[in-house]
Amino acid sequence: MSSRFVVFIDSPWTGAGQDCARYLLEQGVTPIIVAADPAALHPSLLHDYAELGVEIRACDVDSVDAVVDFCRELGTEGEVIGVTSVYEYYCDTGAEVAARLGLAGPDPEAVAKCRSKAAMREAMAGTPGLNPLFQVADSPAQAVAAAESIGYPVVVKPLDLTGSLFVRRCDSADDVAAITGQVMELGEYLGHTVTPKVVVEECVPGAEYSAEIVHGKVLGLTEKIGSEPPLFLEMGHVFPAALPPERERLLVEKAEQAVRAIGVTWGPAHVELKLTADGTDARVIEVNGRIAGDRIPEAVRIASGVDMCRLHMFALLGGTPDLTLRCDRTAAIHFLMLQRSGRLDAIHGMPEAKAVKGVHEVHLRPGVQAGMTYEANGSNRDRAAWIIAEGADRDEALGRARAAGGELTFAWSPAGATAEGAQPA
């Protein structure tokens, strides 16, 4: 029997690509990763895919035409039955390539809207109550004018970055001008061109949640634990979120309205929402046309037994996934942060952290190792490690994850110094 291939465009760091590949291998399907420079992928990715026996091939992944040509050439070795990406920066490319080849996948135009915070907001503007007040600005002066029109505090965001990078709460014109100027000067990030514009949004003050969605239906809601302003770092997740029924219904309705408004109704989506101050309404913060990051799919699997990566791959292969989900426990993800700057001399306590009752994973973020130097950039890349734990309820699961985090210590010294200093991250 000839080979059947699913092509993945690049790969995220937090395990979704590997989880999808494992499922495909179980089904007798061969996953192939394409990347601009396979050797330049993070060593942890290279290790994981080599261990799975998954090949990584070179391709100009920033060109849809080049990926289409790659898939057609691969078709001489077998049958290409799917093309996708579970990595934020290439989910729109994966959708476009799949559409060109007549394969299953989301609407590429809809996924592309999710890649631009301006296009996302404009797509939802026709449905009352989804968006906070917002304006797009292409200069610091225009951003300040937008902020003064909306009213402080505001949130300023780049259009097309991820991981909370350069997202800031601003309480003054000086704050708005400063962060907008930084975004305008970026040029590129991780090899991707950064649009020299920002979205200035009304700051929604309530608690934050995300909706984990497949085929336009909310499977469940995740509680998100955030950092203190002015940053918006995600410090933890709890699935399922413990909410009164009326608030759960509100968030589910808003999330499903959002994906319908944008058109992301095939496959996975991840919608972030915040409650208003009194908790009686909610606004959509972001819509992602992909499976959630940050190991949220693993928290869903631990709590419910439902594997969202498998649901995605099952749909990609032409199946109709079962979208029912019941949770008999709670899973919590807890992140530890790196020091703002310095050299990491040693990491202690991994065996003790893994031994805490209920802990499923203790992982250093790829690239975090003794000998590294680091300068914080105010994004989710500032994390040192993540821990996933289960419990009978939110308090038990989160308590176990935080207890495991307390076992880890990071020894730091100032960058360029020779003496080791001990300081927790």
Side-chain angles (χ1 to χ4, degrees), residues 308-345:
M308 292 190 67
C309 291
R310 289 172 179 251
L311 293 183
H312 182 194
M313 293 301 99
F314 187 61
L316 199 74
L317 299 180
T320 302
D322 181 356
L323 302 182
T324 57
L325 180 150
R326 295 179 182 84
C327 298
D328 61 3
R329 69 199 76 186
T330 297
I333 305 170
H334 173 55
F335 294 102
L336 301 178
M337 305 305 288
L338 292 163
Q339 185 171 279
R340 289 195 58 81
S341 66
R343 188 186 68 220
L344 180 57
D345 295 314

Side-chain angles (χ1 to χ4, degrees), residues 2-8 24 28-32 55 57 70-71 73-83 103 316-317:
S2 64
S3 297
R4 296 184 301 156
F5 298 105
V6 168
V7 175
F8 290 85
L24 292 173
V29 177
T30 302
I32 298 280
E55 192 175 357
R57 299 192 189 182
F70 174 91
C71 292
E73 180 67 25
L74 184 62
T76 65
E77 303 176 34
E79 182 186 7
V80 177
I81 60 173
V83 179
L103 301 171
L316 199 74
L317 299 180

Side-chain angles (χ1 to χ4, degrees), residues 22 35 55 72 91 93 133 165-166 171 189 235 249 300 305 353 358 401 404 410:
R22 287 186 190 95
E55 192 175 357
R72 287 177 174 152
C91 54
T93 304
L133 298 173
L165 189 73
F166 293 98
D171 296 290
Y189 181 73
M235 308 295 289
R249 284 193 297 270
V300 173
F410 298 81

Side-chain angles (χ1 to χ4, degrees), residues 329-403:
R329 69 199 76 186
T330 297
I333 305 170
H334 173 55
F335 294 102
L336 301 178
M337 305 305 288
L338 292 163
Q339 185 171 279
R340 289 195 58 81
S341 66
R343 188 186 68 220
L344 180 57
D345 295 314
I347 302 162
H348 305 288
M350 287 290 285
E352 292 81 0
K354 291 178 179 179
V356 172
K357 185 177 180 180
V359 167
H360 283 251
E361 290 186 10
V362 180
H363 261 286
L364 297 175
R365 180 180 65 75
V368 172
Q369 58 189 3
M372 69 175 283
T373 57
Y374 195 72
E375 186 74 33
N377 66 6
S379 80
N380 289 343
R381 293 170 70 88
D382 292 344
R383 296 165 176 163
W386 72 78
I387 296 115
I388 308 179
E390 69 167 77
D393 55 24
R394 176 192 188 276
D395 289 344
E396 185 173 66
L398 197 54
R400 288 171 170 177
R402 288 172 171 168

Side-chain angles (χ1 to χ4, degrees), residues 125-149:
T127 305
L130 293 184
N131 283 329
L133 298 173
F134 76 98
Q135 292 184 36
V136 179
D138 59 11
S139 71
Q142 198 175 80
V144 169
E148 292 176 349
S149 170

Side-chain angles (χ1 to χ4, degrees), residues 164-198:
S164 300
L165 189 73
F166 293 98
V167 177
R168 297 289 188 276
R169 171 179 157 147
C170 298
D171 296 290
S172 69
D174 287 346
D175 292 344
V176 172
I179 191 62
T180 303
Q182 289 183 51
V183 172
M184 300 293 165
E185 295 168 2
L186 280 175
E188 69 170 30
Y189 181 73
L190 292 179
H192 302 279
T193 300
V194 177
T195 303
K197 295 182 180 182
V198 297

